[in-house]
Amino acid sequence: MISRREFLAQSSALCAIAAYAPGTLGAQTSLTPHQYKPFKTIHSICEMCSTRCPITVEKNATHLFIKGNKQAKSFGGKVCARGVSGGKLLNDPHRLVKPIKRMGPRGAGQWQEIEWSEAYSIISDKLLKISNQHGPESIAISSKSGSLANHIFHFAKSIGTPNTFTHASTCPASYKVAAKVMFGSKLKRDLKNCKYVVNFGHNLYEGINMSLTRAMSQAQANGSIKVVVFEPRLSIVADKADEWHMIKPGTDITLALALSHVLIAEKLYDHEFVESYVEGFDAFAASVTAYTPEWAEAICDVPAQDIRRIAQELAAAAPAAMVDFGHRTTFANEEFDLRRAIYAVNILLGNIERKGGLFFAKKSKLYNKLAGAEVAPSLTKIKVDNLPKPQRKRIDLTDPQFKFAAKGGGIYSAIPKAVLTKQPYPIKAWIMSRSNPMQTVSNRNQIQQCMEAIDFVVACDVYISESAAYADVVLPESTYLERDEDVFDKSSKNPAYYLRQRVYETIGDTKPSWLIFKELAEQMGIGQYFPWYDIRDYQQQQVVTNPSLLSRLQHQGYQSFGVPLLLREPKMVQNFRRHYPKAVPACEKGDYSHLLTFKTPSGKIELTAPSLEEIAPGRSVIKYHAETLKQENELFFIQGKTTLHTNSATQSVPLLRELQSSNPVWIHPVTAAERSIHDGQAVILSNAQGEEHGTALVTPGIRKDTVFAHMGFGSKHPEQYPATAKGVHCGNLLPDSVAPISGNDVHTTGISIRPA
Ligand SMILES: Nc1nc2c(c(=O)[nH]1)N[C@H]1C(S)=C(S)[C@@H](COP(=O)(O)OP(=O)(O)OC[C@H]3O[C@@H](n4cnc5c(=O)[nH]c(N)nc54)[C@H](O)[C@@H]3O)O[C@H]1N2
Ligand SMILES: Nc1nc2c(c(=O)[nH]1)N[C@H]1C(S)=C(S)[C@@H](COP(=O)(O)OP(=O)(O)OC[C@H]3O[C@@H](n4cnc5c(=O)[nH]c(N)nc54)[C@H](O)[C@@H]3O)O[C@H]1N2
Ligand code: SF4
Ligand SMILES: [Mo]
């Protein structure tokens, strides 16, 4: 058994930090060594990133072993490098294990450890005062979405503020908003059965999503898929692709539009699909007439003959062919139309609800309806009566074009703006949980100014993150290995559920989100809005119509129901009907294509969306809008994920930190030589926004006009969170920008680079 002294000694030797901030595990000299319970296997959910894979944790007297849950076949019973390192997070001496309150100026790192009761009473008093003076809407609440976010967002509803924000505008907003507008809801990808995929910087072998990553890597290993990648740099996906084209950053839309141009001009599209399911084809076809491959080549640097050939190859492989719509959709301002243009190609390929294409999740409600019987259990949404109604609109609804963005997680940067400009009305308090905007929202400077100006900030985190460093009170959340959470719907081609379960006794004085926000509400006198006794009671209320679901999930962690179903695949429909004798009859094509409907104003796929004219004139038809992402003499600065860390979250985790502690700046040899930069040299990146110090990584695997860095490093608070301090802080170089309709941040900008 490793004693506490030993692991602290090991870890502190590694990061060479003598003192630990108050509240951290390293500062808890009185904490007794942790008792491991021998040999037990528990199924749970990873939280080392927001993919949240189903995991199986085995522990013996000295170690935790984290593996993938074998029940969840699409995840292949595997976890990634970060998933397997979760046990190290538990014992990281920089981990926060006690509530702390600020003693000196904001951000100065002067803290005092306090009890939860004091933390709750400080927060409650302050929020009630602010709410009475300025209205509850003046309190902003942000959290990465997911099961733990349900509770903080429910707290927001209970106090009556509409101002809740997820990470959406810094990540998936564009593809989600585009899907909502075109299809009425979001889609999933069937990469496993895909024969031909066009990938616009979906970095699946570094920005890991276990089920998609495994699906694509297995298809590649089987030789059953052709992968064509458009990427400004040699990512691992580009390296493993059949074809890699070094596209110019921010110009993907031209290529996507040119693919549609070829499919329509050469009549290679699925006419029948378009006739049956699509509105607005003619307007779209007219719009793309001008977007020839030659036109695209001049802007995006990909040869016209390749674009034409790729469109033809896609059509030949359809419907088991797709253009992947990506994940972090923040390359440019015109992301909304880029992601619409990508969906447009998929629509023309007719791959919706086909194997190897795009599909909708089959949640139990739809699945049971089709089966003609209750074959899969459903979760009950816990109803809470008489929640207060906010009196003011959200702060990001200043322009009707952001209607979809506001509903889908909000425009995160509206918070600092409302604090600093008091427009549309002032935000006076900010409660953030599992969110580190100082690192992950563009324009760090603006966030810092906001943090200095705002009346009150609370952060709930597992570390004193760069943002928590500016809080008045920091609440230590138990890590995911120490907490139970809600039952979660994980449906894909058939209904599925999974459950996070505590696998470890709580270290120090931490609490899970569900408890923190319930207790805070009770302190504020609004405990009636949390009508569950504890998380077990909450789970039981979720499964009230099928209580055995909970015991099965406790036993096996993950469970799927029925057989996979795609509405336009006759064989799958036949199989489904064999399983369920009372199932809805198939149509004359032998499938459920007659049941495919869309939650859009027309009930069809809106390739052109007339209703957009009401909120954003001129936007109904997908078009190219020229944009400038950098000054003439600058280089493009782009970012991406590293396999070894998650965004700004894991840089301190022992093991991962040892493997990667900084983010070298990729630069092409010719560009480097022009600036007398050599490999490993200290460099300065600068632009109108800021200046960052880093180290050059000279590589031919990037365009000459582009530099690249992994995000999540270069924190400005080394004394509190030392492991994140090295390297380039990407958000400090990114100007504030709100893209049309989707409201997303833009992560591509211009920089100059010189030797330090
Ligand atoms: N420049 C630039 N900016 C980017 C990106 C980029 O590529 N470049 N990527 C964007 C993307 S894709 C995303 S999703 C966002 C992500 O940005 P954020 O949503 O801010 O997420 P993370 O950096 O993953 O983690 C945020 C915080 O969660 C804390 N945390 C971890 N586990 C827990 C827990 O169990 N409970 C609590 N309460 N806290 C926890 C971590 O310590 C960390 O401080 O960043 C975006 N920002
Ligand atoms: N290991 C690991 N896995 C993760 C995460 C992590 O931090 N680490 N984060 C998770 C999260 S929150 C997300 S959102 C996903 C992110 O998943 P992805 O979106 O797939 O990953 P990124 O690495 O952010 O992204 C984008 C890729 O686009 C390239 N790129 C940049 N600009 C452009 C451009 O203009 N055009 C094109 N075509 N390519 C461009 C970059 O070089 C990079 O390789 O990963 C998830 N999984
Ligand atoms: S992709 Fe890796 S870190 Fe993310 S949830 Fe899955 S195993 Fe955990
Ligand atoms: Mo993300």
Side-chain angles (χ1 to χ4, degrees), residues 511-522:
K511 296 186 187 210
S513 271
W514 69 261
L515 183 58
I516 296 173
F517 293 101
K518 178 176 161 62
E519 288 183 341
L520 182 57
E522 282 160 1

Side-chain angles (χ1 to χ4, degrees), residues 342-613:
I342 288 177
Y343 288 126
V345 184
N346 290 297
I347 293 162
L348 297 178
L349 295 172
N351 71 9
I352 312 300
E353 288 291 323
R354 297 300 307 267
K355 270 187 159 182
L358 306 182
F359 64 97
F360 299 101
K362 305 291 176 300
K363 294 196 176 192
S364 59
K365 206 171 143 211
L366 170 69
Y367 199 85
N368 291 343
K369 206 168 132 196
L370 294 172
E374 289 291 301
V375 297
S378 298
L379 296 182
T380 301
K381 198 163 187 288
I382 303 172
K383 218 171 146 272
V384 177
D385 295 326
N386 303 322
L387 284 164
K389 281 220 162 42
Q391 301 299 307
R392 284 182 281 195
K393 280 200 294 197
R394 295 176 55 96
I395 49 171
D396 51 6
L397 256 182
T398 47
D399 183 325
Q401 69 169 305
F402 298 127
K403 176 177 119 178
F404 295 100
K407 273 206 186 120
I411 301 173
Y412 207 143
S413 59
I415 303 178
K417 281 180 208 146
V419 171
L420 294 169
T421 66
K422 304 186 171 51
Q423 296 302 323
Y425 52 86
I427 287 292
K428 293 287 180 185
W430 184 352
I431 309 181
M432 63 183 79
S433 176
R434 212 211 174 304
S435 182
N436 186 9
M438 204 62 106
Q439 266 280 351
T440 57
V441 174
S442 297
N443 195 351
R444 183 190 183 282
N445 204 8
Q446 180 171 259
I447 308 274
Q448 179 167 341
Q449 284 170 13
C450 150
M451 295 287 207
E452 283 160 3
I454 196 168
D455 285 14
F456 189 57
V457 188
V458 178
C460 170
D461 205 297
V462 293
Y463 288 104
I464 307 176
S465 70
E466 193 173 347
S467 309
Y470 288 84
D472 297 293
V473 180
V474 189
L475 302 174
E477 169 133 48
S478 311
T479 68
Y480 68 102
L481 294 169
E482 299 159 302
R483 58 183 197 243
D484 292 290
E485 269 168 17
D486 320 5
V487 179
F488 227 60
D489 194 317
K490 196 70 177 166
S491 302
S492 185
K493 286 179 200 145
N494 42 324
Y497 299 97
Y498 71 164
L499 182 67
R500 175 167 286 147
Q501 309 196 74
R502 160 200 282 235
V503 300
Y504 214 78
E505 304 90 292
T506 307
I507 297 176
D509 197 5
T510 66
K511 296 186 187 210
S513 271
W514 69 261
L515 183 58
I516 296 173
F517 293 101
K518 178 176 161 62
E519 288 183 341
L520 182 57
E522 282 160 1
Q523 175 85 28
M524 291 175 71
I526 48 172
Q528 75 273 20
Y529 297 133
F530 289 71
W532 42 87
Y533 178 67
D534 58 13
I535 193 68
R536 191 48 42 90
D537 183 28
Y538 188 96
Q539 294 165 342
Q540 279 162 351
Q541 294 192 41
Q542 284 187 290
V543 299
V544 69
T545 57
N546 197 323
S548 65
L549 174 63
L550 185 57
S551 46
R552 274 178 285 170
L553 290 177
Q554 284 165 342
H555 186 63
Q556 55 188 57
Y558 170 96
Q559 192 179 9
S560 66
F561 294 85
V563 290
L565 178 65
L566 295 174
L567 300 184
R568 295 180 61 238
E569 278 297 337
K571 280 201 178 135
M572 289 173 111
V573 171
Q574 263 172 36
N575 190 32
F576 179 81
R577 296 187 61 227
R578 257 199 306 278
H579 267 76
Y580 305 116
K582 290 191 193 144
V584 173
C587 66
E588 70 278 8
K589 287 188 203 140
D591 62 18
Y592 284 158
S593 50
H594 60 305
L595 299 174
L596 180 57
T597 52
F598 303 90
K599 292 186 201 116
T600 55
S602 62
K604 291 192 157 193
I605 298 173
E606 302 217 331
L607 192 50
T608 300
S611 60
L612 279 179
E613 293 297 329

Side-chain angles (χ1 to χ4, degrees), residues 249 629-638 665-668 670-672 674-675 677 684-687 702-708 733 748-754:
L629 290 163
K630 68 171 185 70
Q631 304 296 317
E632 190 72 25
N633 56 348
E634 288 179 327
L635 300 169
F636 288 107
F637 176 51
I638 61 167
V665 180
W666 296 31
I667 182 166
H668 190 275
V670 170
T671 319
E674 282 166 6
R675 291 161 178 75
I677 292 170
I684 297 174
L685 279 67
S686 61
N687 61 14
I702 188 158
R703 285 174 61 96
K704 289 184 192 137
D705 60 0
T706 305
V707 296
F708 167 88
L733 294 168
T748 306
T749 191
I751 54 110
S752 300
I753 182 167
R754 61 180 195 275

Side-chain angles (χ1 to χ4, degrees), residues 49-51 82 144 171 200-204 206-209 230-233 235 247-252 327-328 331 638-647 708 748:
C49 86
S50 46
T51 305
R82 299 160 299 149
K144 188 143 197 167
C171 177
F200 285 102
H202 191 185
N203 190 14
L204 275 173
E206 289 163 281
I208 312 275
N209 171 311
F230 298 103
E231 250 281 0
R233 62 158 192 133
S235 66
I247 195 168
K248 186 191 231 170
T251 65
D252 305 64
H327 190 163
R328 175 175 62 90
F331 299 160
I638 61 167
Q639 302 100 60
K641 312 298 179 202
T642 156
T643 35
L644 293 167
H645 286 289
T646 299
N647 304 329
F708 167 88
T748 306

Side-chain angles (χ1 to χ4, degrees), residues 2-290:
I2 301 180
S3 74
R4 187 181 157 275
R5 194 180 303 130
E6 272 164 2
F7 80 67
L8 287 184
Q10 279 174 18
S11 309
S12 56
L14 283 166
C15 64
I17 288 291
Y20 295 101
T24 57
L25 182 56
Q28 309 301 301
T29 46
S30 62
L31 208 66
T32 50
H34 186 71
Q35 299 299 311
Y36 292 80
K37 281 197 182 149
F39 301 104
K40 203 165 171 201
T41 297
I42 304 175
H43 304 288
S44 187
I45 302 177
C46 184
E47 181 77 32
M48 291 298 277
C49 86
S50 46
T51 305
R52 303 194 173 92
C53 298
I55 52 172
T56 297
V57 185
E58 292 169 4
K59 53 180 177 170
N60 66 18
T62 53
H63 287 88
L64 277 183
F65 301 98
I66 302 179
K67 304 174 180 174
N69 183 340
K70 293 242 174 330
Q71 298 283 339
K73 295 211 169 49
S74 72
F75 295 82
K78 302 279 191 252
V79 287
C80 74
R82 299 160 299 149
V84 89
S85 310
K88 301 287 176 198
L89 163 66
L90 275 172
N91 289 327
D92 183 349
H94 288 291
R95 198 196 135 185
L96 198 62
V97 294
K98 186 87 191 158
I100 49 174
K101 73 172 176 190
R102 171 170 72 88
M103 298 308 286
R106 284 226 175 95
Q110 292 158 23
W111 301 107
Q112 184 186 324
E113 291 179 8
I114 53 173
E115 298 305 320
W116 280 94
S117 54
E118 185 181 348
Y120 288 144
S121 83
I122 296 173
I123 300 170
S124 165
D125 290 354
K126 199 75 194 179
L127 291 186
L128 288 171
K129 197 167 155 220
I130 288 174
S131 181
N132 286 336
Q133 271 183 3
H134 306 278
E137 301 88 351
S138 66
I139 302 168
I141 299 214
S142 64
S143 172
K144 188 143 197 167
S145 51
S147 61
L148 73 169
N150 292 348
H151 296 272
I152 188 173
F153 289 148
H154 182 66
F155 175 77
K157 280 195 185 137
S158 306
I159 59 174
T161 177
N163 288 313
T164 54
F165 299 83
T166 72
H167 68 296
S169 62
T170 70
C171 177
S174 321
Y175 86 68
K176 289 198 173 166
V177 172
K180 177 91 190 140
V181 168
M182 294 179 87
F183 301 96
S185 50
K186 66 177 184 184
L187 290 129
K188 291 177 167 280
R189 301 157 256 231
D190 183 18
L191 277 169
K192 187 175 152 207
N193 295 306
C194 184
K195 306 276 179 249
Y196 195 109
V197 63
V198 169
N199 175 309
F200 285 102
H202 191 185
N203 190 14
L204 275 173
Y205 297 155
E206 289 163 281
I208 312 275
N209 171 311
M210 256 348 236
S211 71
L212 289 177
T213 299
R214 281 191 63 78
M216 193 158 92
S217 64
Q218 278 181 342
Q220 285 198 280
N222 297 339
S224 58
I225 192 171
K226 176 164 180 182
V227 178
V228 176
V229 172
F230 298 103
E231 250 281 0
R233 62 158 192 133
L234 186 65
S235 66
I236 301 181
V237 168
D239 180 50
K240 306 264 179 251
D242 297 278
E243 273 180 43
W244 166 43
H245 301 270
M246 268 209 218
I247 195 168
K248 186 191 231 170
T251 65
D252 305 64
I253 186 168
T254 60
L255 211 155
L257 289 169
L259 290 175
S260 283
H261 171 97
V262 177
L263 293 175
I264 295 173
E266 300 187 9
K267 299 200 169 32
L268 296 173
Y269 67 96
D270 185 335
H271 215 271
E272 197 190 328
F273 182 79
V274 169
E275 282 289 300
S276 313
Y277 299 102
V278 174
E279 269 298 298
F281 174 80
D282 292 344
F284 175 72
S287 175
V288 299
T289 312

